[in-house]
Amino acid sequence: MSPTPDPELTRLLSAALGSVQDPELRRPITDLGMVASAEAYDDRSATVHVLLTIAGCPLRNTIVEDVTAAATSVPGIAAVDVELGVMTPEQRQALKDGLTSRVVPFTQPNSLTRVIGVASGKGGVGKSSLTVNLACALAADGLRVGVIDADVHGFSVPGLMGITQAPTRVDELILPPVAHGVKVISIGMFVEGNQPVVWRGPMLHRALEQFLTDVHFGDLDVLLLDLPPGTGDIAISVSQLLPGSQLLVVTTPQSAAAEVAERAGAVAETTGQEVVGVVENMSWLQLPDGTRMEPFGAGGGAALAERLQSRLGVDVPLLGSVPLEPQLREGGDAGVPIVVSRPESAASQEIRGIAHRLARRPRGLAGLRLDVTPR
């Protein structure tokens, strides 16, 4: 005898499926129209028909596992059959219409996303490593975080985050891979092997614009941009495409490096961006006997913060000084940032402190549209 549908159990099943998020879009599959049907029966079984956005969805197994876990968490359901299908072009278009627009969402008046460009005067100061570790630290604190690898010529973020899969495409819509709770996009996800990207200014601007308009990040609390060193085309494009963005300047303790880094922060004089702070990287090295060695000198970060503060006429704090640790490099090589692999380390603790200070630093309401009517 065939099992009989149980209306109350089906209601509970549907409610439970609302907790399942699409692993790429990070929204409930019930809100995305991905649940074609769900039925629970009096023999403690259930059937759920899920529509994938594309036939070759790389995370189909994750969806099946999450749907199974949610269904069997319902008292009275012991087994579930998850059937997979694919959205029709009309259903996929409806999904895209609900997600995308040809504007930069982070510039809209109702956007509360904090956009921070991580800048440096020159390469080799650990800017990219700091960016991914800050992103993971912020995500670990429960924030919704995205990273754009805007260093198109010297992209490194996918490797530092351990991302090997390409972004999923739903027609023109690009879904960024997620690693360690962070959504990430990089030109390195679209090139074969270790091929160089040989582009001039207009193409760099267009690439950044596409990352901001075609990639679906969803609602973010913080968007970090790993900027190329210096004050070239990308720095100008960021100020144009994201006029409300802030800058975090990274330097080493060496006075010469701090002088070069001052130029990266001083670009705010022209662009009108806010310099949210300075981070001194590779500050000191802990020796086996417990003493500290300063291989790159001392005081560069504090000096840079003071010079920028004097030059810009606003408060520019030194947010932290990150020690030089072999584990930080090892984590980058392994694709597991040190704040994830070694949260107890001195570098991790300092980076987490910087992340806390960034998250707690108030954001001004200038330029934001408030839903308040004067009386």
Side-chain angles (χ1 to χ4, degrees), residues 211-225:
F211 283 164
L212 292 169
T213 56
D214 294 351
V215 177
H216 178 71
F217 284 101
D219 293 328
L220 296 179
D221 295 304
V222 181
L223 175 66
L224 297 178
L225 287 85

Side-chain angles (χ1 to χ4, degrees), residues 126-129 131-132 149-163 184 186-188 226 332 335:
K127 169 183 54 62
S128 298
S129 295
T131 300
V132 300
D149 188 355
D151 193 351
V152 175
H153 289 143
F155 58 86
S156 60
V157 170
L160 294 171
M161 294 288 279
I163 297 173
V184 181
S186 169
I187 198 66
D226 181 25

Side-chain angles (χ1 to χ4, degrees), residues 39 113 124 130 133 187 205 221 241 278 294 310 334-335:
E39 194 90 64
T113 302
L130 181 68
N133 276 283
I187 198 66
H205 181 92
D221 295 304
L241 294 169
V278 170
E294 297 172 336
S310 175

